[in-house]
């Protein structure tokens, strides 16, 4: 019973490099989200996808892009990583936008 | 003013104590209120979910919502060392809006 699976779990990037964080859920959820969590800042929404085929910006979208590949998968791309993007990234999913969200285990990203 | 305010703590209590965790909010449109627990280096997990005002109890945990005061609480009775974690409140308004989280309160229960 996997739930929400994120890959990779850890990553170190050099400034200017690009990478894609992968997220997949097996709960047949319609809505998916990407959050970042920084010390003293709590969880902040980067992008979300209310349903397959739609994506919308959250509170802190600058420097990121997303793709809702299908109902199961929602990826987050950093085109040109910056040290300010050092954070723990969480993917989450929910049945619909107005139901509780279930989180993955996180990706710890360090940009040097 | 942030939409959701939560005292970050840390909060340290002895085993068996009653713990009270709180959040205040400014958006009167919020209707759905949740508490998540996050262990160190893990993802948040849903603990309690309530709609509108009132109380909800689940074992040692009780969630309270006071919409008139824009204040929500989580009470933990007979706290255990396994309750040591960060507790995040979260809330949303009408359907179609994403969750807004508090910054989390770190709780440590000593045996």
């Amino acid at each position: 019973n996997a739930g929400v699976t994120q890959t990779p779990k850890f990553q170190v990037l050099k400034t200017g490099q690009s990478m894609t964080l992968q997220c997949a859920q097996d709960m047949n959820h319609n809505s998916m989200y990407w959050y970042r969590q920084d010390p003293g800042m709590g969880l902040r929404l980067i992008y979300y996808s209310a349903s397959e085929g739609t994506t919308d910006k959250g509170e802190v979208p600058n420097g990121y892009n997303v793709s809702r590949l299908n109902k199961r998968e929602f990826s987050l791309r950093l085109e040109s990583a910056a040290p300010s993007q050092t954070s723990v990234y969480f993917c989450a999913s929910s049945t619909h936008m107005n139901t509780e969200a279930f989180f993955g285990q996180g990706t710890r990203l360090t940009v040097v | 003013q942030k939409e959701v305010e939560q005292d970050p703590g840390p909060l340290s209590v002895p085993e068996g104590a009653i713990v009270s965790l709180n959040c205040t909010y400014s958006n009167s449109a919020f209707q759905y209120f949740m508490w998540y627990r996050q262990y160190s280096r893990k993802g948040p997990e849903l603990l309690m979910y309530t709609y509108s005002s009132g109380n909800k109890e689940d074992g040692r945990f009780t969630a309270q919502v006071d919409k008139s005061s824009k204040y929500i609480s989580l009470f933990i009775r007979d706290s255990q060392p396994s309750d040591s974690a960060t507790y995040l409140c979260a809330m949303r308004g009408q359907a179609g809006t994403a969750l807004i989280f508090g910054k989390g309160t770190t709780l440590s229960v000593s045996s």
Side-chain angles (χ1 to χ4, degrees):
Chain A
N1 204 8
V4 179
T5 302
Q6 293 182 234
T7 55
K9 289 186 170 50
F10 302 93
Q11 184 71 50
V12 178
L13 287 179
K14 294 182 179 177
T15 297
Q17 286 185 318
S18 63
M19 81 160 293
T20 299
L21 280 62
Q22 306 286 353
C23 175
Q25 51 90 9
D26 62 2
M27 296 176 281
N28 199 34
H29 285 170
N30 292 294
S31 303
M32 298 185 74
Y33 317 83
W34 278 105
Y35 288 89
R36 62 177 288 174
Q37 187 174 38
D38 304 290
M41 300 296 291
L43 282 161
R44 293 182 292 169
L45 183 64
I46 305 171
Y47 270 93
Y48 65 98
S49 171
S51 60
E52 187 179 357
T54 69
T55 60
D56 284 289
K57 296 178 180 179
E59 182 184 356
V60 289
N62 291 346
Y64 305 95
N65 284 300
V66 291
S67 294
R68 183 74 184 265
L69 304 169
N70 48 55
K71 190 172 185 179
R72 290 186 65 248
E73 298 172 289
F74 188 39
S75 63
L76 178 72
R77 183 160 178 85
L78 287 71
E79 291 290 352
S80 178
S84 61
Q85 294 177 306
T86 293
S87 188
V88 181
Y89 291 85
F90 288 100
C91 177
S93 70
S94 62
T95 306
H96 297 288
M97 286 292 289
N98 62 340
T99 56
E100 62 270 31
F102 294 86
F103 284 79
Q105 292 300 291
T107 295
R108 293 185 175 274
L109 176 67
T110 302
V111 183
V112 298
Chain B
Q1 182 189 9
K2 285 282 193 182
E3 278 197 293
V4 179
E5 300 277 4
Q6 184 175 9
D7 186 337
L11 183 60
S12 295
V13 301
E15 183 175 356
I18 297 173
V19 176
S20 172
L21 304 166
N22 312 294
C23 287
T24 58
Y25 63 95
S26 57
N27 189 342
S28 57
F30 287 147
Q31 299 181 62
Y32 302 89
F33 304 92
M34 294 156 222
W35 286 95
Y36 283 81
R37 178 175 61 196
Q38 185 177 22
Y39 290 115
S40 181
R41 305 182 82 82
K42 299 289 188 182
E45 56 179 335
L46 182 69
L47 200 56
M48 299 286 281
Y49 177 89
T50 53
Y51 171 70
S52 195
S53 285
N55 294 0
K56 184 173 184 178
E57 189 173 320
D58 184 1
R60 296 185 295 111
F61 299 89
T62 299
Q64 284 187 352
V65 175
D66 182 349
K67 290 191 73 179
S68 62
S69 301
K70 297 191 180 68
Y71 188 87
I72 69 170
S73 300
L74 177 71
F75 297 96
I76 307 174
R77 291 185 299 279
D78 187 25
S79 56
Q80 302 295 310
S82 59
D83 295 328
S84 298
T86 297
Y87 291 81
L88 302 115
C89 63
M91 50 198 78
R92 62 156 50 98
Q94 69 274 19
T97 59
L99 279 175
I100 305 297
F101 282 84
K103 293 182 180 181
T105 300
T106 300
L107 171 68
S108 176
V109 182
S110 56
S111 57

